[in-house]
Amino acid sequence: MRVQSAYNVVVPLPAQNAEGLYALFNTFAGSIDLIDQSIVDGLKSLQQTGTRLLQLRTAASYERGAKLPDDVLEYLDARGYLFDSLDEERIQARFVYEEMLRLHREIAGQPLAIIPTYNCDLKCPYCWQRVYDMDSPIITERMVDRAFDAIGKLVVPQPHQPVELAIFGGEPLQDIPELRERVVQICELAKQAGFNVMAMSNGVGLAQAAPHLAGKIGQIQVTIDGPHEIHRKRRPLPKGDSFTAMVEGVDTALAHGIPIKVRVNVDMTNLPRLPELADLARDRGWLETGKLDFHAAPVKNHNPSKHLNPEAELLEELLKLVDRDERMSVFDLTGFGGIKYFQGFKESAMFSLHRFFNCEAQINFWLFDVHGDIYACWEAAGTPDLAVGRFDPDVEIYERRLNMWRARTTLDISSCGGCTSQPHCGGGCQFHALEHGGSVLTSSCDSLMEGYTLSIQRNADWLMERARKGDHAVGLVTTDGVITPVTRQFGLIEEAAARGGFDMRCA
């Protein structure tokens, strides 16, 4: 007897869009089909162990169950919703994790970062670096050269694999001549190596830095947390005005043709004021340049003793604001995983590759800091006990520490057992897991599944149209049988099968 996949999710669609229909979504197979109540009932008879049903109509309906026709069973089986046993699925999940990790390391862009100083001119209360030494030196010319020597030993660029180098901090664009020289040096060496280079900045020193960086840098990320009084409070510049300087910096950078990515760190306190940022951008002509984009991202809790509203609640309120204020259309919401991955499905008919890992720290990320330390995680930088190696005087990798980051997977995190988000969330940020749980082998849950659920419900009309036309990767299965089948093959999974793996069916 077949059983349900542990990664099945059943999402009721809004009645006004598709009365009586549900989206059956599987995070492992990357499949989504629309089904009616008869299919929901039939699935309930195939063991509910590990399956997440987001809404049950009645308790009686849950107990009733129904035998599914053979053609429906065959289709659901081919789509990855059914297995011979959950043990079989767990074995396949382990194989997929190993295969996709190998594939990501082959085809994903190579991310790198250099921290020329940990010093920062702002004192943002939510910054994870707030406890670090703010009397950091500035990286020397020799140390920059040593960092690029180390990159040459650790990274073998591939023609299809761009190298993305970020200049990070601290604040790398402070108006300090020595620091600016080192940043320009990094940009020039990166350009010579064929890397794409960008910088992350608070914008306060950007007006002075922009003329020196024009033509040498591909993008600068600037954080803006709200209109004037909100930004100044959340991103305070001691004895100064961080907002006015930042706005001048963005003006100057755009005038020099430097693309700007505006990151907005969002929580419940500044969320209602986000539309005013769209007004600011329009009033200053930023949007007309075609070189500035807004990107919203949730504030993460780096203080285990401090309470923050759950990220899922923040996402729900953010989407409500999007619905009622058209000015929010300028914001990219892919800082929330479920939103990002569903948007990718709409564009490509494929969900995020099966991962079971969370971020580039588990793949191929290297960060080089002012002290000569190497890190595998952005947020671990500055904590010497979490360094995974040195690049001065010679390159040395601490394999045991590196393995702590590279080998983490939800398949080995006990608190992730039975969670339908496993294949995509990777247990959440492992640095946050370390902060709050004391170990990278604990989970740090975010809004991934809620993002998927809200995206599915908000796109019910689109899903219905795709299922009826059969022009995407959305099927329709009802009491009348398989109305619209999806037969597209998983190209990546076929490749895995060719290497001696398994037959993970169709997308």
Side-chain angles (χ1 to χ4, degrees), residues 195-209:
F195 300 168
N196 299 324
V197 62
M198 58 91 68
M200 298 179 180
S201 175
N202 59 38
V204 172
L206 181 55
Q208 293 73 33

Side-chain angles (χ1 to χ4, degrees), residues 83-124:
F83 281 85
D84 286 335
S85 69
L86 293 180
D87 284 340
E88 178 207 5
E89 183 173 44
R90 280 189 283 268
I91 292 170
Q92 293 197 2
R94 177 68 64 177
F95 180 87
V96 167
Y97 159 68
E98 293 172 353
E99 189 67 14
M100 291 301 106
L101 187 61
R102 178 198 61 78
L103 187 63
H104 270 273
R105 287 173 175 164
E106 283 186 5
I107 68 174
Q110 171 64 61
L112 303 170
I114 294 179
I115 294 181
T117 181
Y118 283 106
N119 203 3
C120 184
D121 42 6
L122 299 189
K123 308 298 179 186
C124 306

Side-chain angles (χ1 to χ4, degrees), residues 6-125:
Y7 304 108
N8 283 354
V9 182
V10 179
V11 182
L13 300 182
Q16 67 269 28
N17 303 89
E19 186 172 0
L21 289 181
Y22 300 78
L24 174 60
F25 172 45
N26 187 283
T27 54
F28 181 37
S31 301
I32 186 166
D33 287 89
L34 303 189
I35 60 175
D36 66 5
Q37 187 66 46
S38 71
I39 307 302
V40 173
D41 292 339
L43 285 170
K44 290 168 189 172
S45 67
L46 301 177
Q47 279 189 332
Q48 285 290 165
T49 306
T51 303
R52 178 170 177 169
L53 188 62
L54 293 181
Q55 179 176 316
L56 298 172
R57 293 209 164 188
T58 65
S61 171
Y62 181 86
E63 296 295 337
R64 184 170 66 245
K67 188 177 186 306
L68 294 171
D70 289 343
D71 64 325
V72 170
L73 282 171
E74 289 176 5
Y75 178 73
L76 296 177
D77 181 40
R79 295 282 279 151
Y81 301 118
L82 304 178
F83 281 85
D84 286 335
S85 69
L86 293 180
D87 284 340
E88 178 207 5
E89 183 173 44
R90 280 189 283 268
I91 292 170
Q92 293 197 2
R94 177 68 64 177
F95 180 87
V96 167
Y97 159 68
E98 293 172 353
E99 189 67 14
M100 291 301 106
L101 187 61
R102 178 198 61 78
L103 187 63
H104 270 273
R105 287 173 175 164
E106 283 186 5
I107 68 174
Q110 171 64 61
L112 303 170
I114 294 179
I115 294 181
T117 181
Y118 283 106
N119 203 3
C120 184
D121 42 6
L122 299 189
K123 308 298 179 186
C124 306

Side-chain angles (χ1 to χ4, degrees), residues 69-333:
D70 289 343
D71 64 325
V72 170
L73 282 171
E74 289 176 5
Y75 178 73
L76 296 177
D77 181 40
R79 295 282 279 151
Y81 301 118
L82 304 178
F83 281 85
D84 286 335
S85 69
L86 293 180
D87 284 340
E88 178 207 5
E89 183 173 44
R90 280 189 283 268
I91 292 170
Q92 293 197 2
R94 177 68 64 177
F95 180 87
V96 167
Y97 159 68
E98 293 172 353
E99 189 67 14
M100 291 301 106
L101 187 61
R102 178 198 61 78
L103 187 63
H104 270 273
R105 287 173 175 164
E106 283 186 5
I107 68 174
Q110 171 64 61
L112 303 170
I114 294 179
I115 294 181
T117 181
Y118 283 106
N119 203 3
C120 184
D121 42 6
L122 299 189
K123 308 298 179 186
C124 306
Y126 57 72
C127 180
W128 74 85
Q129 293 180 324
R130 65 189 180 279
V131 299
Y132 296 165
D133 182 4
M134 288 300 184
D135 293 322
S136 166
I138 294 170
I139 197 168
T140 65
E141 180 179 2
R142 172 186 168 277
M143 288 289 273
V144 171
D145 288 335
R146 295 296 301 143
F148 275 86
D149 288 343
I151 291 170
K153 294 177 180 178
L154 294 173
V155 175
V156 181
Q158 303 296 324
H160 57 280
Q161 184 186 53
V163 177
E164 310 284 348
L165 188 145
I167 304 172
F168 189 46
E171 171 50 47
L173 302 187
Q174 296 173 77
D175 189 16
I176 302 172
E178 181 186 359
L179 178 58
R180 182 171 302 127
E181 289 176 6
R182 299 288 71 77
V183 169
V184 170
Q185 179 190 2
I186 293 169
C187 290
E188 290 176 342
L189 289 175
K191 189 172 183 178
Q192 291 172 19
F195 300 168
N196 299 324
V197 62
M198 58 91 68
M200 298 179 180
S201 175
N202 59 38
V204 172
L206 181 55
Q208 293 73 33
H212 301 274
L213 298 178
K216 298 182 176 70
I217 197 164
Q219 183 186 69
I220 296 176
Q221 175 181 293
V222 178
T223 301
I224 308 178
D225 272 5
H228 191 255
E229 70 276 16
I230 299 295
H231 184 88
R232 287 191 64 179
K233 181 178 180 180
R234 291 167 63 90
R235 304 182 65 76
L237 174 66
K239 301 180 182 180
D241 178 359
S242 62
F243 183 84
T244 300
M246 174 275 299
V247 168
E248 180 186 357
V250 173
D251 284 342
T252 305
L254 291 173
H256 281 82
I258 300 175
I260 297 293
K261 176 182 178 179
V262 175
R263 177 187 173 100
V264 185
N265 295 320
V266 183
D267 57 27
M268 290 295 193
T269 62
N270 69 333
L271 175 63
R273 305 293 297 275
L274 295 193
E276 295 173 54
L277 288 182
D279 294 336
L280 170 71
R282 290 192 178 94
D283 291 344
R284 301 197 72 86
W286 290 352
L287 299 179
E288 296 173 7
T289 67
K291 291 183 177 295
L292 182 141
D293 298 299
F294 280 93
H295 178 83
V299 172
K300 300 294 185 178
N301 183 7
H302 288 282
N303 185 344
S305 64
K306 181 181 179 181
H307 172 74
L308 285 182
N309 293 84
E311 192 172 301
E313 292 182 12
L314 175 65
L315 176 57
E316 190 167 1
E317 292 303 312
L318 174 61
L319 292 176
K320 289 178 182 177
L321 181 59
V322 169
D323 288 340
R324 67 175 179 265
D325 197 318
E326 63 180 12
R327 291 174 294 176
M328 290 295 295
S329 63
V330 303
F331 286 90
D332 176 0
L333 304 183

